[in-house]
């Protein structure tokens, strides 16, 4: 049974897994060579659909289904979302730095399947080193005939460009990313129309995450049904989780989903640092509501995380131990979203600022008794009902994301917030 | 003032590569920043000329993204992450140490114009928290002490090329993952070191 797909090469060949020579020597581009001769674009699309590969960027939408929405108009574009910015997440960085050709082969296969002749890799500006590695790999691929005018004499033409972002989390939202790539402010667009119908330059566009597309070579080599045989239903294939925070062994771990959270944190992550007790964790990036030890024996799958009121999101697991000031932790996350709010929608723009200020005064010992109700009221204006999955009054899900840390501390650690307020200085600001 | 020939050439290549010239505004803003050590009105006018936008459209784009600095910045930008994983492991203390050691408060540039300090949001180095970047070159697993040493090294040695590998060896600790082969290149200024921008320098 396959338990690793994406990280095999980099583990076996740490010194040069990013080079074309190593990629070819370990079977790379053989799938492309074969597929361009033996498979039709439709057959590739069918394999990806059969794989039940769910997007690895955060939303978890089935990639094959997304591809199916692509409108017939031309030209069409493929855009790889390498704007990895969700706090707690650093898996795409590793895929970009350590195995860029795996991504490029995935891009060529996908472009062939989708009738695309121009693909972009949108890499966040702070990822200079990963961007250099990808750029070099793209140049190697051009030189070797895997990109360009007439790829491997198949008649397929594909140009790939690396585009650097410039420091804006919101550009990870696919329509904001497209605006950014068009040379605009990275503000999310109202949907519909979805990018598959009107995306980049108002042309049909597929936006997929780095990890999603890095899986395509394996899926085409081994078949969609082989991928669909890995892992539990609804969470097929392997997945890279980024473990960070107070865990003994932080890092990226490619695993088959379905193990329990206890195994994830205590076996894979090596338990809590310094022998401390686990207090809580964020299961899928800073946008996700937090889990507590009560769910340690629940399985790590997309659907189970959803059932329990959160999500696997971007795969970023942030572990907090007993020493954690959870109010300060929530403030850190709210501060992040307040900084990254694009400012288009009032509930998010104003709400984020107010939530940050209220939490700030609680943390600095100036909280007021009414602050708990006020926090929840502001949250309710951003995400009415405070339910999961969240309702939203905003164009994109950034608004509800900043509600998650607050409802998390109010649900699980309300007494700590209350105690902080009770011991506050009376002359609060 | 117009750009030197090599920058003009890069700008023209960029504009030609995109299906629509407007898309080149982001890389061109980096070129403009590199020329002027920060974005100037003049620089943004040049970007407007190449992309067919008005200067105010260019400024509206520039003002959206935190890496386009509309105030002049130092030769080195020291960016300390304070988002959740770094926050949990001492990122705020690292930022304090950097500000104290350099005498430059977060968000500002020192009076000699050499160095800027900023607290930044998640830079994707959570497994190696707390993390710092200098000119967008990463060092993971820093401590307040090693961050101070890093700042002293910048002040004393004034390195021309900032290299992740070198900083990681001298000032870093735990990493998010094995980095793979060392890189000969690095950053030559406060913009990402990236081949097509001509901003990557080679270590001597």
């Amino acid at each position: 049974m396959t338990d690793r797909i994406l990280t095999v090469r980099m583990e076996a060949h740490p010194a040069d897994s990013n080079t074309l020579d190593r990629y070819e020597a370990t079977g790379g581009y053989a799938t492309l060579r074969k597929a361009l001769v033996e498979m039709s674009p439709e057959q590739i699309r069918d394999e990806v659909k059969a794989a039940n590969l769910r997007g690895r960027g955060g939303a978890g939408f089935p990639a094959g289904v997304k591809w199916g929405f692509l409108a017939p108009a031309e030209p069409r574009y493929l855009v790889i979302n390498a704007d990895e910015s969700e706090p707690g997440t650093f898996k795409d960085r590793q895929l970009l730095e350590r195995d860029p050709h795996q991504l490029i082969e995935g891009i060529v296969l996908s472009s062939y399947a989708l009738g695309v002749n121009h693909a972009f890799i949108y890499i966040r500006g702070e990822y200079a080193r990963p961007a250099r590695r990808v750029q070099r790999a793209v140049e190697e691929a051009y030189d070797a005939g895997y990109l360009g005018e007439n790829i491997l004499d198949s008649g397929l033409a594909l140009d790939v460009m690396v585009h650097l972002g410039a420091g804006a989390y919101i550009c990870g939202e696919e329509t904001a990313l497209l605006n950014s790539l068009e040379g605009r402010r990275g503000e999310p667009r109202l949907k519909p129309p979805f990018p598959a119908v009107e995306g980049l330059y108002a042309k049909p566009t597929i936006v997929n995450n780095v990890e999603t597309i890095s899986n395509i070579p394996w899926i085409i080599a081994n078949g969609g049904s082989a991928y669909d045989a890995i892992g539990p239903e609804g969470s097929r294939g392997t997945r890279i989780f980024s473990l960070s925070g107070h865990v003994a062994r932080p890092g990226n771990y490619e695993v088959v989903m379905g193990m329990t959270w206890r195994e994830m944190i205590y076996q894979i992550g090596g338990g809590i640092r310094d022998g401390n007790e686990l207090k809580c964790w964020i299961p899928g990036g800073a946008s996700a509501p937090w889990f507590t030890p009560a769910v340690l024996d629940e399985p790590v799958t997309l659907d189970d995380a959803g059932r329990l009121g959160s999500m696997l999101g971007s795969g970023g697991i942030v572990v907090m131990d007993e020493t954690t000031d959870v109010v300060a932790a929530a403030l850190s996350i709210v501060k992040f979203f307040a900084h990254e709010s694009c400012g288009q929608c009032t509930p998010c723009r104003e709400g984020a600022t107010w939530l940050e200020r209220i939490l700030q005064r609680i943390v600095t010992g100036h909280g007021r008794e009414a602050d708990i109700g006020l926090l929840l009221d502001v949250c309710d204006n951003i995400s009415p009902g405070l339910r999961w999955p969240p309702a939203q009054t905003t164009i994109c899900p950034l608004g509800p994301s900043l509600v998650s840390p607050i409802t998390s501390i109010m649900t699980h650690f309300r007494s700590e917030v209350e105690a902080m307020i009770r011991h506050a200085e009376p002359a609060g600001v | 003032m117009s750009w030197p020939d090599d920058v003009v050439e890069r700008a023209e290549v960029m504009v030609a590569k995109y299906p629509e010239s407007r898309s080149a505004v982001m890389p061109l803003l980096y070129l403009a920043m590199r020329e002027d050590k920060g974005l100037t009105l003049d620089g943004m006018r040049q970007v407007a000329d190449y992309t067919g936008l008005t200067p105010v459209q260019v400024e509206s784009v520039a003002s959206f993204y935190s890496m386009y600095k509309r105030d002049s910045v130092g030769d080195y930008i020291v960016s300390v992450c304070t988002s959740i994983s770094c926050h949990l492991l001492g990122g705020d203390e690292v930022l304090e140490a950097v500000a104290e050691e350099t005498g430059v408060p977060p968000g500002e540039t020192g009076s000699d114009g050499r160095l800027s300090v900023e607290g930044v949001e998640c830079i994707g180095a959570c497994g190696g928290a707390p993390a710092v970047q200098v000119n967008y070159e990463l060092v993971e697993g820093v401590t307040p002490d090693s961050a101070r040493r890093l700042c002293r090294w910048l002040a004393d040695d004034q390195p021309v090329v900032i290299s992740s590998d070198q900083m990681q060896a001298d000032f870093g600790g735990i990493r998010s993952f094995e980095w793979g082969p060392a890189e000969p290149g690095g950053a030559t200024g406060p913009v990402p070191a990236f081949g097509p921008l001509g901003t990557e320098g080679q270590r001597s």
Side-chain angles (χ1 to χ4, degrees), chain A residues 15 90 93 98 124 126 129 132-133 136 163 165-167 180-186 201 244 246 335, chain B residues 18 22-23 25-26 30 60 63-67 82 85 88 122 124 127 133 137 165 178-179 181 183 193:
Chain A
F90 47 97
R93 190 182 127 218
R98 305 294 309 287
R124 64 178 302 188
E126 297 89 339
R129 183 188 177 100
R132 291 197 295 271
R133 291 255 173 104
R136 274 201 293 279
H163 182 95
S180 182
L181 191 49
E182 287 183 5
R184 301 172 197 279
R185 294 164 69 85
Y201 312 124
S244 70
H246 296 149
K335 181 172 75 70
Chain B
Y18 287 96
R22 180 176 185 139
S23 285
V25 65
M26 291 183 73
Y30 279 130
S60 120
S63 66
F64 188 84
Y65 300 92
S66 59
M67 288 168 68
T82 59
S85 303
L88 291 171
C122 189
Q133 287 190 325
E137 295 299 304
D165 293 301
E178 163 67 45
W179 284 7
E183 302 237 331

Side-chain angles (χ1 to χ4, degrees), chain A residues 125-409:
Chain A
E126 297 89 339
Y127 276 12
R129 183 188 177 100
R132 291 197 295 271
R133 291 255 173 104
V134 173
Q135 177 66 29
R136 274 201 293 279
V138 165
E139 287 164 11
E140 285 180 315
Y142 268 104
D143 289 346
Y146 298 120
L147 292 175
E149 282 300 311
N150 180 17
I151 295 171
L152 301 174
D153 291 324
S154 66
L156 175 68
L158 176 65
D159 276 316
V160 171
M161 255 187 101
V162 178
H163 182 95
L164 276 193
Y169 163 79
I170 192 60
C171 291
E173 196 280 340
E174 61 180 12
T175 60
L177 187 152
L178 295 175
N179 272 341
S180 182
L181 191 49
E182 287 183 5
R184 301 172 197 279
R185 294 164 69 85
E187 291 164 346
R189 301 173 181 172
L190 270 173
K191 290 172 275 192
F194 286 91
V197 178
E198 280 183 42
L200 186 65
Y201 312 124
K203 298 297 181 191
T205 303
I206 294 292
V207 185
N208 281 142
N209 167 263
V210 170
E211 184 183 350
T212 308
I213 293 299
S214 294
N215 273 297
I216 301 297
W218 192 95
I219 289 171
I220 301 309
N222 297 275
S225 58
Y227 193 87
D228 189 46
I230 303 169
E233 192 181 351
S235 295
R236 298 300 201 206
T238 67
R239 174 143 196 189
I240 305 179
F241 288 93
S242 301
L243 274 170
S244 70
H246 296 149
V247 77
R249 285 198 302 266
N252 285 325
Y253 297 94
E254 182 181 10
V255 296
V256 176
M257 286 178 272
M259 84 285 280
T260 63
W261 285 103
R262 187 182 300 281
E263 289 169 291
M264 175 67 82
I265 293 170
Y266 287 92
Q267 285 172 26
I268 296 172
I272 310 303
R273 62 162 188 184
D274 305 333
N276 286 355
E277 292 293 321
L278 171 66
K279 186 167 187 174
C280 56
W281 69 96
I282 309 173
S287 304
W290 306 359
F291 281 160
T292 66
V295 302
L296 266 177
D297 294 307
E298 295 281 356
V300 180
T301 70
L302 279 88
D303 296 333
D304 288 296
R307 172 176 58 82
L308 296 166
S310 189
M311 61 176 178
L312 294 191
S314 60
I317 301 169
V318 183
V319 175
M320 300 182 231
D321 74 8
E322 58 188 314
T323 68
T324 306
D325 175 346
V326 288
V327 189
L331 170 60
S332 168
I333 295 172
V334 168
K335 181 172 75 70
F336 171 84
F337 288 117
H339 184 262
E340 301 299 341
S341 172
C342 81
Q344 280 192 111
C345 309
T346 311
C348 173
R349 180 186 67 240
E350 302 300 318
T353 309
W354 277 106
L355 292 174
E356 182 186 352
R357 290 173 66 171
I358 299 164
L359 277 175
Q360 182 80 50
R361 76 180 172 217
I362 296 175
V363 167
T364 53
H366 300 291
R368 302 166 186 173
E369 227 169 277
D371 278 348
I372 290 182
L374 188 54
L375 282 171
L376 290 171
D377 185 51
V378 174
C379 288
D380 190 71
N381 275 288
I382 300 168
S383 183
L386 303 180
R387 58 175 185 268
W388 193 264
Q392 67 187 50
T393 54
T394 48
I395 290 173
C396 87
L398 191 146
S401 294
L402 71 107
V403 169
S404 294
I406 294 175
T407 51
S408 295
I409 59 172

Side-chain angles (χ1 to χ4, degrees), chain B residues 7-30:
Chain B
V7 180
V8 168
E9 198 179 313
R10 281 188 191 282
E12 285 171 350
V13 168
M14 287 285 176
V15 170
K17 269 197 163 182
Y18 287 96
E20 295 191 8
S21 58
R22 180 176 185 139
S23 285
V25 65
M26 291 183 73
L28 261 57
L29 280 167
Y30 279 130

